[in-house]
């Protein structure tokens, strides 16, 4: 992340000399220092979503640095606070870190130490604010475009408008798009924006269900209808009454079943296998395909009459390469989701990473991008967050790792992040990870890590 010349840093200290010296150091480095001689003054001037960091002495008259830390954390838990301690006051430093301080500086400290800890704190703050901004943007888009659409390109805006329009009318829909373009999510978006939203959404993948059971899955059966039918089964169509049935990969539906589906679409009724009773249906059917059904019908691989019955409203879904401007936003969205789920951080993308994402052709579309974002968060530290490496040949070794290997990489990632955060300070890393020192060193050896690699030459 690049430093901005306008990023502010609050300096809170009752010693005039320290305030002046720190301000000069920060100004020369391109920051915008704001100096305060008391914690009360700093709190009065602290804005909401302050984009910088706070550096404060601990021992001050009136409100001290620890009280300032607690108040800032109450207002804004992600704002980095760096505390200045007296020489040899290790117990105070440990207490501060436990209370949520980002880091601490021990008097006397060099200007390089101040700049280093401020730089890392700024990076942390910018990441937190970026994630907050991204979440707000995603929530705004979800309100405007539907619950599962992410993007700003004209093609995705057009898709959102079509979803909104289609969801308000009672008609069956055919979704056409490559593998991984989000046909299932679009079907759910149509359902959730329709008047049927409070009724069932039943999804079935016609290509994943064995041919000898798919008829029972869709239509249900009576007890004794065939060998193994030991009790009555309610099929997907009947269960979805009042709601929506989503038939994915409909091109894989067996020809004999296509005839029965056509009858369901025309008559809006169904018969369970082994029954004579006709059950009226109030359903919408959304079908999805990754092949051109007209071509399949012309070639005799799909019933022509069923194709024309489904082709009332066809909604094409764009491939990811057709909406490249959305790729960074989508990637960051998936990374934030993965990070929140795993308790890890979602590193923001630098220019090289964005270029890597935009240059890739994405044959697996959004599904491939989501998988990459999850690997980036969970395993990225083991590969120096190199997206080109994760996308290239080395991905073969991590695409389907065994469970022990996943645990090993996850553990290495956590240790590496903690080492980087605490600049290789073993006592802080052990406290952060809750590990005895001997166990920690054993894990360093196991993962080929060294605390020295994370230390700066200016560190004590």
């Amino acid at each position: 992340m690049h430093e901005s010349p306008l990023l502010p840093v609050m300096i809170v200290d009752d010693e005039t000399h320290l305030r002046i010296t720190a301000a000069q150091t920060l100004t020369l480095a391109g920051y915008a220092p704001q100096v305060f001689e008391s914690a009360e003054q700093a709190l009065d001037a602290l804005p909401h979503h302050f984009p910088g960091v706070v550096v404060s002495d601990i021992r001050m008259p009136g409100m001290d640095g620890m009280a300032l830390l607690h108040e800032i954390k109450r207002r804004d838990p992600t704002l980095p606070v760096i505390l200045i301690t007296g020489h040899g006051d290790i117990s105070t430093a440990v207490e501060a870190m436990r209370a949520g301080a980002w880091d601490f500086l021990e008097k006397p400290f060099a200007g390089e130490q101040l700049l280093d800890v401020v730089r890392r704190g700024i990076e942390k703050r910018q990441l937190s604010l970026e994630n907050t901004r991204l979440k707000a943007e995603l929530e705004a888009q979800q309100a405007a475009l539907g619950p599962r659409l992410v993007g700003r390109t004209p093609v995705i805006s057009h898709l959102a408008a079509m979803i909104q329009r289609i969801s308000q009318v009672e008609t069956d829909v055919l979704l056409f798009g490559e593998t991984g373009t989000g046909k299932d999510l679009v079907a759910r978006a149509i359902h959730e924006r329709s008047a049927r939203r409070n009724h069932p959404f039943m999804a079935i993948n016609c290509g994943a269900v064995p041919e000898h059971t798919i008829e029972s899955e869709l239509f249900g059966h009576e007890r004794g209808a065939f060998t193994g039918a030991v009790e009555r089964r309610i099929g997907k169509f009947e269960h979805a009454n009042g709601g929506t049935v989503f038939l994915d990969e409909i091109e894989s539906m067996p020809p004999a079943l296509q005839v029965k589906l056509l009858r369901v679409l025309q008559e809006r009724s169904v018969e369970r296998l082994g029954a004579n009773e006709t059950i009226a249906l109030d359903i919408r059917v959304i079908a999805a395909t990754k092949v051109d059904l007209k071509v399949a019908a012309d070639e005799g691989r799909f019933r022509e009459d069923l194709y024309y019955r489904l082709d009332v409203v066809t909604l094409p879904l764009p491939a990811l390469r057709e909406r490249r401007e959305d790729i960074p936003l989508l990637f960051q969205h998936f990374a934030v989701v993965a990070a929140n789920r795993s308790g890890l951080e979602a590193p923001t993308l630098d220019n090289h990473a964005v270029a890597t994402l935009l240059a890739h052709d994405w044959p697996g579309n959004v599904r491939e991008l989501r998988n990459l974002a999850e690997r980036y968060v969970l395993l990225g530290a083991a590969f120096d967050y190199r997206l080109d490496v994760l996308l290239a040949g080395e991905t073969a070794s991590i695409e389907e790792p065994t469970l022990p290997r996943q645990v090993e990489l996850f553990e290495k990632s956590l240790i590496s992040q903690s080492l980087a955060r605490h600049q290789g300070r073993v006592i802080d890393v052990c406290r952060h990870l809750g590990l005895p020192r001997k166990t920690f060193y054993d894990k360093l050896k196991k993962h080929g890590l060294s605390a020295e690699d994370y230390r700066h030459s200016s560190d004590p």
Side-chain angles (χ1 to χ4, degrees), residues 18-330:
L18 191 147
R19 293 198 305 271
I20 293 174
T21 302
Q24 290 176 341
T25 300
L26 291 166
T27 299
L28 291 173
Y31 295 100
Q34 303 171 2
V35 295
F36 303 92
E37 62 180 357
S38 73
E40 291 85 354
Q41 290 178 355
L43 283 174
D44 288 342
L46 183 65
H48 189 54
H49 290 321
F50 181 63
V53 299
V54 177
V55 181
S56 173
D57 196 4
I58 287 184
R59 304 193 184 282
M60 295 183 295
M63 175 182 279
D64 64 12
M66 291 296 293
L68 175 62
L69 169 66
H70 286 296
E71 178 58 24
I72 289 176
K73 288 301 174 183
R74 185 188 68 80
R75 295 186 185 186
D76 189 341
T78 66
L79 176 57
V81 178
I82 302 159
L83 293 181
I84 302 172
T85 68
H87 177 67
D89 198 357
I90 299 300
S91 61
T92 303
V94 171
E95 181 186 355
M97 298 296 285
R98 287 176 176 170
W102 164 249
D103 213 329
F104 67 91
L105 289 166
E106 184 181 12
K107 294 180 180 179
F109 53 85
E112 290 81 4
Q113 288 177 275
L114 173 64
L115 292 178
D116 180 71
V117 71
V118 165
R119 175 187 59 79
R120 291 186 292 106
I122 288 284
E123 290 178 351
K124 168 70 173 179
R125 182 57 169 172
Q126 293 298 295
L127 174 61
S128 297
L129 292 177
E130 172 66 14
N131 285 344
T132 299
R133 183 201 63 77
L134 178 64
K135 289 177 182 178
E137 181 177 350
L138 292 171
E139 289 174 0
Q141 287 200 14
Q142 287 172 353
L145 304 181
R148 289 179 169 82
L149 289 181
V150 178
R152 294 177 293 221
T153 52
V155 67
I156 204 68
S157 297
H158 175 71
L159 176 62
M162 291 299 297
I163 289 174
Q164 175 65 23
R165 190 175 307 162
I166 291 171
S167 65
Q168 302 307 308
V169 297
E170 285 295 324
T171 183
D172 296 333
V173 183
L174 178 63
L175 305 178
F176 174 57
E178 297 177 8
T179 297
T181 50
K183 295 184 287 291
D184 175 83
L185 300 183
V186 170
R188 291 180 185 274
I190 293 173
H191 172 75
E192 290 174 11
R193 296 185 72 87
S194 74
R196 298 178 179 273
R197 68 178 67 90
N198 295 322
H199 297 278
F201 177 89
M202 300 300 302
I204 187 166
N205 189 319
C206 301
V209 181
E211 184 173 343
H212 66 280
T213 62
I214 189 171
E215 188 172 2
S216 174
E217 285 282 338
L218 291 178
F219 306 127
H221 62 253
E222 296 289 344
R223 179 179 179 180
F226 51 84
T227 303
V230 296
E231 59 183 18
R232 172 186 286 181
R233 177 185 178 88
I234 303 300
K236 299 286 188 183
F237 283 115
E238 185 178 352
H239 186 78
N241 217 354
T244 303
V245 175
F246 174 55
L247 300 174
D248 198 7
E249 296 189 21
I250 195 168
E251 71 275 8
S252 303
M253 180 173 284
L257 199 58
Q258 292 180 29
V259 178
K260 294 190 175 184
L261 175 60
L262 178 62
R263 187 178 305 121
V264 170
L265 296 178
Q266 290 174 335
E267 300 177 4
R268 281 314 197 253
S269 64
V270 67
E271 289 183 9
R272 300 191 197 109
L273 297 180
N276 297 318
E277 178 186 1
T278 298
I279 301 168
L281 296 177
D282 173 22
I283 59 171
R284 159 184 264 167
V285 174
I286 302 177
T289 177
K290 60 180 180 293
V291 305
D292 189 327
L293 289 185
K294 179 64 169 65
V295 173
D298 292 342
E299 296 176 351
R301 294 181 288 110
F302 195 82
R303 288 190 63 93
E304 188 175 36
D305 48 3
L306 178 57
Y307 162 69
Y308 284 114
R309 183 62 185 79
L310 290 170
D311 193 35
V312 178
V313 174
T314 297
L315 188 59
L317 274 60
L320 191 55
R321 60 183 175 275
E322 297 172 6
R323 44 184 296 220
R324 290 187 183 276
E325 295 172 31
D326 288 333
I327 291 175
L329 177 64
L330 275 166

Side-chain angles (χ1 to χ4, degrees), residues 253-433:
M253 180 173 284
L257 199 58
Q258 292 180 29
V259 178
K260 294 190 175 184
L261 175 60
L262 178 62
R263 187 178 305 121
V264 170
L265 296 178
Q266 290 174 335
E267 300 177 4
R268 281 314 197 253
S269 64
V270 67
E271 289 183 9
R272 300 191 197 109
L273 297 180
N276 297 318
E277 178 186 1
T278 298
I279 301 168
L281 296 177
D282 173 22
I283 59 171
R284 159 184 264 167
V285 174
I286 302 177
T289 177
K290 60 180 180 293
V291 305
D292 189 327
L293 289 185
K294 179 64 169 65
V295 173
D298 292 342
E299 296 176 351
R301 294 181 288 110
F302 195 82
R303 288 190 63 93
E304 188 175 36
D305 48 3
L306 178 57
Y307 162 69
Y308 284 114
R309 183 62 185 79
L310 290 170
D311 193 35
V312 178
V313 174
T314 297
L315 188 59
L317 274 60
L320 191 55
R321 60 183 175 275
E322 297 172 6
R323 44 184 296 220
R324 290 187 183 276
E325 295 172 31
D326 288 333
I327 291 175
L329 177 64
L330 275 166
F331 182 90
Q332 196 68 30
H333 164 66
F334 292 134
V336 168
V337 171
N340 289 341
R341 187 169 57 242
S342 63
L344 296 172
E345 295 181 358
T348 52
L349 299 172
D350 57 23
N351 292 336
H352 177 72
V354 171
T356 300
L357 291 175
L358 294 178
H360 188 59
D361 198 43
W362 301 108
N365 291 292
V366 177
R367 183 181 299 139
E368 181 185 3
L369 181 68
R370 182 190 62 216
N371 292 342
L372 176 66
E374 292 179 352
R375 292 200 304 271
Y376 181 74
V377 171
L378 297 176
L379 309 176
F383 296 88
D384 297 323
Y385 293 103
R386 290 277 305 278
L387 282 177
D388 53 342
V389 174
L390 291 171
L391 271 170
E394 289 195 37
T395 55
S397 65
I398 61 171
E399 284 280 17
E400 297 181 1
T402 62
L403 179 59
R405 179 58 177 162
Q406 291 185 55
V407 173
E408 180 181 351
L409 289 171
F410 186 70
E411 183 181 76
K412 182 177 181 180
S413 174
L414 286 175
I415 294 174
S416 177
Q417 288 189 47
S418 188
L419 282 167
R421 174 179 177 180
H422 298 289
Q423 291 186 267
R425 293 190 296 272
V426 172
I427 186 173
D428 294 333
V429 176
C430 289
R431 186 188 68 251
H432 177 243
L433 297 177

